[in-house]
Amino acid sequence: DFMDGATFSDVQLARVRLAQGDVADAKVLLDSVIDELTSSGKFDSALEAAIARAQVSLAEADPSGANLILDSSLDVARHEAQVLLPQLARVRAEALFALGDAASAARSCAEGIHEARALGLDYELAKLSLLASQHAVTTDVQGALPDDEAVATLRSLGVTTA
């Protein structure tokens, strides 16, 4: 329906704003969308918005805040949002790396890679593999793609930057 399309568009707009460096606007927009989706019981969509909101917290150098956002949203939407688990694992791993917890971040990468493989989500598989490689934890992450394969996968999907 229209509200689903409008909130989806708002999440995408917030991602663009974040990529452009407008962190404050992305934060306000995502907080509003999360509130709207949660109050209407659309918890899977709220989780997707919360993942983007956690990326805003990372951009604000607040990895602990990113983890809190992910935890609270996942508690509500876990049963409805399996397809989002690899993306959530990637953002959580970024937060854990930023907190200096490489072991937990590697576990998050491994969990995300397992889910991505199970769901056939090549983009997330490649992004998680590159994240693990970037932080030199690939030996701790079973199932990670080699860098050249991950980059080739992203290119095959039309992604020009890893």
Side-chain angles (χ1 to χ4, degrees):
D1 67 31
F2 176 74
M3 288 303 279
D4 288 337
T7 54
F8 176 80
S9 295
D10 284 346
V11 171
Q12 302 317 311
L13 176 60
R15 286 182 171 141
V16 169
R17 295 279 165 83
L18 179 60
Q20 294 172 335
D22 190 350
V23 177
D25 190 44
K27 182 177 183 176
V28 168
L29 189 54
L30 288 166
D31 285 344
S32 174
V33 168
I34 292 167
D35 288 345
E36 180 179 338
L37 291 168
T38 302
S39 67
S40 63
K42 297 177 180 169
F43 302 117
D44 55 341
S45 295
L47 177 59
E48 185 172 3
I51 292 168
R53 178 60 179 81
Q55 291 172 312
V56 169
S57 290
L58 288 173
E60 295 176 316
D62 182 13
S64 294
N67 274 329
L68 288 173
I69 290 165
L70 295 173
D71 287 342
S72 64
S73 297
L74 184 58
D75 285 346
V76 174
R78 181 177 298 274
H79 65 284
E80 298 178 26
Q82 184 178 4
V83 73
L84 295 173
L85 293 179
Q87 184 180 2
L88 185 142
R90 181 170 47 86
V91 176
R92 181 179 308 282
E94 290 173 4
L96 291 166
F97 280 127
L99 289 168
D101 188 351
S104 294
R107 280 192 299 279
S108 187
C109 283
E111 291 166 6
I113 285 170
H114 173 77
E115 290 292 332
R117 283 188 183 279
L119 296 168
L121 300 175
D122 293 338
Y123 175 82
E124 289 301 336
L125 174 60
K127 293 295 278 188
L128 281 156
S129 296
L130 289 172
L131 179 62
S133 175
Q134 174 187 353
H135 292 279
V137 296
T138 51
T139 56
D140 300 330
V141 179
Q142 184 177 7
L145 298 174
D147 285 358
D148 59 340
E149 190 176 334
V151 170
T153 297
L154 291 174
R155 285 194 181 125
S156 76
L157 296 171
V159 179
T160 57
T161 58

